[in-house]
Amino acid sequence: MENLIALLVAAPLLGAAVLLCGGRRLDKTGHWLGTALAAASFVVGVVLFADMLGKGAEDRALHQHLFSWIPVEGFQADIAFQLDQLSMTFVLLITGVGTLIHIYSIGYMEHDERRRRFFGYLNLFLAAMLILVIADNYLLLYVGWEGVGLASYLLIGFWQHKPSAATAAKKAFLVNRVGDVGLSIAIMLMFTTFGTFAFGPVLEATGETSEGTLTAIGLMLLLAACGKSAQVPLQSWLGDAMEGPTPVSALIHAATMVTAGVYLIVRSGAIFNGAPDAQLVVAIVGAVTLIFGAIVGCAKDDIKKALAGSTMSQIGYMILAAGLGPIGYIFAIMHLVTHGFFKAGLFLGAGSVMHGMNDEVDMRKYGGLRKYMPVTFITFGLGYLAIIGFPGLSGFFSKDKIIEAAFAKGGTEGWILGSVALLGAAITAFYMTRVMLMTFFGEKRWQPDAEGREPHPHESPKSMTIPMIVLAVGSVFAGGFFAIGDRFVNWLEPVTGYDHGHSPLSVATVTGATVVALLIGVAIAWTMYGRKPVPVVAPRGSLLTRAARRDLLQDDFNHVVLVRGGEHLTRSLVYVDHSLVDGVVNGTAASVGGLSGRLRKLQNGYARSYAVSMFGGAAVVIAATLLMRAV
């Protein structure tokens, strides 16, 4: 079975190569080829998963060594794969949800002239993400990490004729480069400390390494995770990434890019377990981001950007859980998987709405769509109930577990983190109910588009609705399936470890508090958007609302601190270069030139001048000698 692991990557990588290099002859069939190869990777994943289930918990890890990548003395880097319970979870999520998004894209991109290239980029995205999660060493993980960054750049800017899309792609690429510096430094520290990049030797040696070194590595890994998973302070790219086609948004937010940071932290759990300060910083970053993203989601009228704020917030929950250590590692991944179902479904539902509304994204110009798009309404509604944690649906089981784990952290930290997670649950219920009410309920508020076309909302074709239905089923049942009998805990514990913690609150109390928070959020949203007509033009709003519409001024902060700060730093360095460095260099050159010019006058070629010089020198020597004798 080990020999099948490489096929997981080979299938979509082959699709990317053929579709991107095959030329226009594949324009009519390329989308089918890309989808088939994504599905083939999923089938291989299922076969490997079935084989893994047939083994004991401690014997499930598989390894495949392909070849030595960089074999030099003292430096060994291999192209080798590792498949264990953690990586298998990601493989099934990436290939399963990724295949559904491919199928959805067949209908969504039907009239796009560059559809073949789009599917080539989707295949490249899957291949890069698979390399990232099945690599058996950090250096190969870095290859997948950069591949994901490249693919996201190509897909976010796919409609590059739009300046906003080109700018968004460039922004995502540059912001992620900041995080990538953190990962590269972490890998360098690992090699100098452990002499290897491989997961096994590195993670096994953490018990013999100083806490300071582990803290430094952990903080650099966190910086990398903040970039890929859009966490504070590197979250500014995620909202603009909505400029790409909607299937791209679903792929980035549900199955690939933003999940990479969570995987990196959980995979490196032994490092963070040995560095409690770095682990606490991880939890704080997650807590801050889950509130940050939720507040942003409350103020957005663009349906995709509201969901982007939601993703930022939900990934914040996962990072918070990962920062709890063995108490939360498993629940971070559990919420990641359930989130993959309902967030992909929500984005595909948003794309379905746009498909029927002439690509309009402003929810203030929707209203009453449940009558015209019943399948979209039901599937989107189930995703909505799952993400707010409605009892019995997937989000209820996974997000509640994170809140319980936060309280189980104990002490003041546990109370603060648990309270923040509860507050986030209330805000989530508010902004998602707002999205639901503004889109599917109330009176219709449709308006002609810029070209004067009147919207005619209608249900999307089956190629789009079938993936939405499948994802809706996962949104309803996945969480309960994982929770019953502690299936997910038993599945991941051999890899991540697990600690129950000591919660000051009972499970029933936490569950009750979460449900109350949910009801409060829904009630406030109903009062503001259900009982009153929604104005087509957004009111000015409070200071916080206006700030949230501008992403809580994150771009303004970046512009003032980083852009202008960088400009001032550059000007200062140029001034120092011109005034000090060039001054010293030019001054030295001028001094030498002046001295040489004066000395040159002594070498004029006239014998009489040389005779006078010799006579003067002799006179000086004689005078000095007589003076010394006299003294």
Side-chain angles (χ1 to χ4, degrees):
M1 282 296 174
E2 291 87 349
N3 295 331
L4 293 179
I5 299 177
L7 294 179
L8 292 169
V9 177
L13 197 59
L14 174 64
V18 172
L19 292 175
L20 296 177
C21 301
R24 293 189 173 276
R25 71 191 75 179
L26 294 173
D27 282 354
K28 294 182 179 180
T29 58
H31 51 287
W32 293 111
L33 175 63
T35 303
L37 288 171
S41 185
F42 174 66
V43 170
V44 173
V46 171
V47 170
L48 289 167
F49 175 62
D51 177 71
M52 191 174 284
L53 288 177
K55 299 179 179 179
E58 303 298 332
D59 301 320
R60 287 173 170 168
L62 300 175
H63 291 82
Q64 182 180 17
H65 181 277
L66 295 183
F67 58 89
S68 294
W69 177 19
I70 311 175
V72 296
E73 185 176 357
F75 186 97
Q76 179 73 30
D78 296 327
I79 301 297
F81 299 130
Q82 169 181 295
L83 196 64
D84 57 16
Q85 292 92 316
L86 178 59
S87 51
M88 175 56 77
T89 301
F90 277 84
V91 164
L92 294 177
L93 176 68
I94 294 163
T95 58
V97 174
T99 299
L100 291 174
I101 292 172
H102 275 71
I103 295 171
Y104 178 93
S105 300
I106 292 173
Y108 190 87
M109 301 294 289
E110 181 178 5
H111 303 294
D112 196 291
E113 295 178 353
R114 300 167 67 234
R115 180 167 63 167
R116 169 184 55 82
R117 181 172 297 182
F118 179 79
F119 276 82
Y121 292 159
L122 287 184
N123 273 195
L124 178 63
F125 211 157
L126 290 191
M129 190 65 189
L130 287 167
I131 291 173
L132 192 159
V133 299
I134 67 174
D136 87 331
N137 62 83
Y138 283 97
L139 195 61
L140 185 57
L141 178 149
Y142 189 79
V143 173
W145 192 271
E146 291 301 316
V148 169
L150 171 62
S152 66
Y153 169 79
L154 296 172
L155 286 167
I156 293 170
F158 184 75
W159 287 326
Q160 57 207 24
H161 60 277
K162 297 166 54 179
S164 57
T167 301
K170 190 161 53 176
K171 182 177 181 180
F173 190 81
L174 292 176
V175 172
N176 272 274
R177 296 293 72 72
V178 178
D180 294 351
V181 170
L183 182 55
S184 62
I185 293 174
I187 293 173
M188 294 175 195
L189 289 173
M190 289 176 192
F191 185 75
T192 56
T193 303
F194 307 109
T196 180
F197 315 106
F199 291 145
V202 168
L203 300 179
E204 289 171 4
T206 53
E208 304 170 1
T209 308
S210 70
E211 184 177 322
T213 300
L214 294 178
T215 298
I217 295 174
L219 291 176
M220 289 300 100
L221 292 174
L222 173 60
L223 179 62
C226 286
K228 276 290 182 287
S229 294
Q231 299 293 285
V232 171
L234 300 179
Q235 79 286 8
S236 62
W237 66 270
L238 191 62
D240 292 338
M242 298 304 98
E243 291 293 336
T246 299
V248 175
S249 303
L251 194 59
I252 289 176
H253 289 246
T256 55
M257 188 163 178
V258 296
T259 65
V262 183
Y263 171 79
L264 180 65
I265 293 174
V266 174
R267 173 62 75 187
S268 308
I271 294 173
F272 288 96
N273 293 341
D277 291 339
Q279 198 170 65
L280 178 60
V281 175
V282 172
I284 292 172
V285 167
V288 170
T289 307
L290 78 87
I291 297 297
F292 189 106
I295 292 174
V296 169
C298 290
K300 294 294 185 181
D301 293 329
D302 183 319
I303 187 170
K304 289 176 66 178
K305 290 191 175 184
L307 294 177
S310 168
T311 297
M312 193 186 304
S313 179
Q314 298 304 308
I315 299 293
Y317 270 107
M318 301 171 206
I319 296 292
L320 166 61
L324 299 174
I327 300 173
Y329 288 146
I330 291 175
F331 302 124
I333 303 302
M334 181 176 174
H335 191 53
L336 185 151
V337 176
T338 59
H339 178 264
F341 284 109
F342 53 70
K343 183 53 61 69
L346 288 169
F347 266 110
L348 297 189
S352 180
V353 170
M354 292 166 58
H355 182 79
M357 293 293 289
N358 296 342
D359 289 327
E360 178 62 67
V361 295
D362 189 346
M363 294 185 292
R364 293 186 180 276
K365 298 177 182 178
Y366 291 165
L369 292 181
R370 68 186 189 280
K371 302 176 184 176
Y372 304 90
M373 311 178 73
V375 176
T376 301
F377 166 63
I378 293 172
T379 55
F380 193 98
L382 291 173
Y384 151 72
L385 292 174
I387 195 173
I388 68 173
F390 188 84
L393 275 71
S394 289
F396 169 78
F397 293 100
S398 59
K399 191 159 61 178
D400 272 25
K401 286 294 185 182
I402 293 177
I403 298 173
E404 291 173 19
F407 281 111
K409 179 70 174 176
T412 304
E413 295 174 12
W415 281 104
I416 293 175
L417 295 175
S419 299
V420 169
L422 268 178
L423 176 61
I427 303 176
T428 300
F430 170 80
Y431 70 71
M432 285 306 305
T433 303
R434 174 179 179 268
V435 169
M436 197 72 188
L437 293 173
M438 292 178 70
T439 302
F440 295 103
F441 293 87
E443 299 298 323
K444 64 179 185 179
R445 301 179 297 277
W446 316 332
Q447 295 181 351
D449 61 18
E451 299 177 2
R453 297 177 301 172
E454 185 73 27
H456 297 286
H458 56 278
E459 193 55 86
S460 298
K462 289 184 178 180
S463 64
M464 296 171 65
T465 56
I466 290 176
M468 290 159 56
I469 292 170
V470 174
L471 291 168
V473 172
S475 300
V476 174
F477 297 110
F481 177 79
F482 294 154
I484 295 174
D486 287 333
R487 282 194 182 98
F488 207 75
V489 172
N490 296 332
W491 170 252
L492 282 184
E493 185 177 3
V495 179
T496 63
Y498 178 56
D499 181 1
H500 289 277
H502 304 284
S503 177
L505 302 175
S506 67
V507 173
T509 301
V510 175
T511 300
T514 305
V515 172
V516 169
L518 180 157
L519 294 175
I520 291 173
V522 170
I524 295 174
W526 172 256
T527 301
M528 295 178 64
Y529 298 95
R531 297 180 58 186
K532 303 175 183 177
V534 176
V536 176
V537 178
R540 190 164 183 265
S542 64
L543 180 62
L544 178 60
T545 299
R546 297 198 300 274
R549 287 175 185 157
R550 297 178 61 180
D551 300 324
L552 292 180
L553 309 180
Q554 55 184 317
D555 284 331
D556 302 79
F557 175 83
N558 290 342
H559 185 75
V560 171
V561 175
L562 300 179
V563 177
R564 288 187 178 176
E567 290 175 351
H568 290 310
L569 176 61
T570 302
R571 290 182 186 135
S572 300
L573 293 174
V574 169
Y575 176 79
V576 170
D577 181 56
H578 288 172
S579 302
L580 182 60
V581 179
D582 286 355
V584 171
V585 174
N586 294 336
T588 302
S591 299
V592 172
L595 179 62
S596 64
R598 287 170 174 77
L599 292 174
R600 189 169 57 247
K601 293 179 180 179
L602 300 178
Q603 302 293 324
N604 53 21
Y606 294 109
R608 60 180 178 271
S609 298
Y610 299 154
V612 170
S613 299
M614 293 169 64
F615 177 77
V620 169
V621 171
I622 292 171
T625 303
L626 293 174
L627 181 62
M628 291 176 65
R629 287 183 176 180
V631 174

